[in-house]
């Protein structure tokens, strides 16, 4: 029998301890268990995200459709407002048209000019009243201080009977619509004669 040295005996002990600490797996690699729980959670999150994306896209399509319908409605309402914007005014004018029809018929069958003139004056008053209901206002010009904001000077007239820059005559009425100038009053304006000249009514184009 061959005697074994202490060194060999110590080596056997070390191998034994190593074998005990790391048991043999039969030469096969250890199997790593699959983390199925993590994969399923990831798939669930993905499906939920896809669901939310589909819902948001559906909301987006609905919003686009509603915006398109709103734009079409605004265009249609604007066109109707332009087309029928004067409906109320015209409705108020219809009684005046009826009155004029009656006045013309009466004038053809009567020689009473005074009655015709009075009827015409009444129609004129009704017309102004109807227009005032819609914001029309006459500009008071004659005898007033000339105001370039609402008056249009057609000529200057030398006159010692009026103050300088006063409106002497009114050729065409001016009007405001809800406070905004619709048409200026066309007027003649006083220009005081020079000291050396004689008073007169000489006209000078403005």
């Amino acid at each position: 029998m061959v005697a074994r040295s202490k060194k060999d005996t110590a080596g056997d002990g070390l191998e034994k301890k190593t074998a005990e600490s790391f048991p043999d797996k039969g030469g096969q690699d250890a199997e790593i268990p699959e983390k199925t729980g993590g994969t399923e959670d990831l798939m669930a999150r993905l499906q939920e995200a896809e669901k939310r994306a589909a819902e948001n896209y559906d909301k987006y399509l609905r919003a686009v459709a509603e915006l398109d319908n709103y734009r079409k409605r605004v265009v249609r309402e604007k066109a109707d407002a332009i087309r029928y914007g004067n409906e109320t005014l015209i409705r108020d004018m219809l009684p005046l048209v009826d009155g004029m029809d009656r006045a013309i018929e009466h004038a053809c069958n009567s020689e009473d000019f005074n009655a015709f003139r009075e009827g015409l004056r009444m129609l004129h008053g009704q017309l102004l009243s109807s227009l005032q209901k819609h914001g029309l206002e006459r500009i008071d010009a004659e005898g007033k201080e000339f105001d370039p904001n609402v008056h249009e000077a057609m000529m200057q007239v030398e006159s010692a009977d009026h103050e300088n820059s006063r409106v002497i005559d009114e050729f065409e009425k001016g009007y405001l619509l809800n406070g905004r100038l619709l048409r200026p009053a066309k007027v003649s304006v006083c220009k005081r004669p020079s000291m050396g000249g004689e008073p007169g009514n000489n006209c000078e184009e403005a």
Side-chain angles (χ1 to χ4, degrees), residues 54-72:
E55 292 175 352
N56 291 335
Y57 183 67
D58 183 66
K59 292 179 181 179
Y60 164 75
L61 292 179
R62 291 176 181 272
V64 170
E66 290 177 0
L67 180 60
D68 186 57
N69 291 334
Y70 171 75
R71 288 175 177 171
K72 291 179 180 178

Side-chain angles (χ1 to χ4, degrees), residues 40-168:
E40 291 177 355
D41 183 61
L42 183 61
M43 291 297 295
R45 291 182 181 181
L46 179 60
Q47 292 176 356
E48 182 65 24
E50 290 177 347
K51 181 180 178 181
R52 287 198 302 269
E55 292 175 352
N56 291 335
Y57 183 67
D58 183 66
K59 292 179 181 179
Y60 164 75
L61 292 179
R62 291 176 181 272
V64 170
E66 290 177 0
L67 180 60
D68 186 57
N69 291 334
Y70 171 75
R71 288 175 177 171
K72 291 179 180 178
R73 185 170 65 253
V74 169
V75 171
R76 184 172 61 253
E77 290 176 353
K78 183 178 179 181
D80 289 343
I82 294 174
R83 189 174 182 180
Y84 302 107
N86 297 326
E87 180 179 356
T88 304
L89 175 61
I90 293 175
R91 186 183 295 114
D92 289 341
M93 296 297 104
L94 292 180
L96 299 175
V97 175
D98 296 336
M100 289 181 181
D101 290 339
R102 288 191 295 267
I104 293 173
E105 183 179 358
H106 179 73
C108 293
N109 299 324
S110 174
E111 296 181 358
D112 190 352
F113 179 76
N114 290 331
F116 175 77
R117 182 174 59 184
E118 187 62 27
L120 189 61
R121 185 174 296 155
M122 290 177 59
L123 288 173
H124 181 260
Q126 290 177 8
L127 175 60
L128 284 179
S129 178
S130 297
L131 293 175
Q132 286 171 359
K133 287 171 52 180
H134 295 274
L136 189 71
E137 180 184 354
R138 266 189 172 181
I139 297 172
D140 191 11
E142 191 169 350
K144 302 294 184 180
E145 181 77 18
F146 176 76
D147 184 355
N149 294 313
V150 293
H151 301 151
E152 181 180 351
M154 304 303 293
M155 64 176 63
Q156 288 182 325
V157 179
E158 288 190 0
S159 174
D161 299 329
H162 299 82
E163 296 180 15
N164 198 39
S165 298
R166 288 280 176 174
V167 174
I168 296 177

Side-chain angles (χ1 to χ4, degrees), residues 18-26:
T18 302
E20 291 176 354
S21 301
F22 302 97
D24 187 10
K25 299 295 183 179

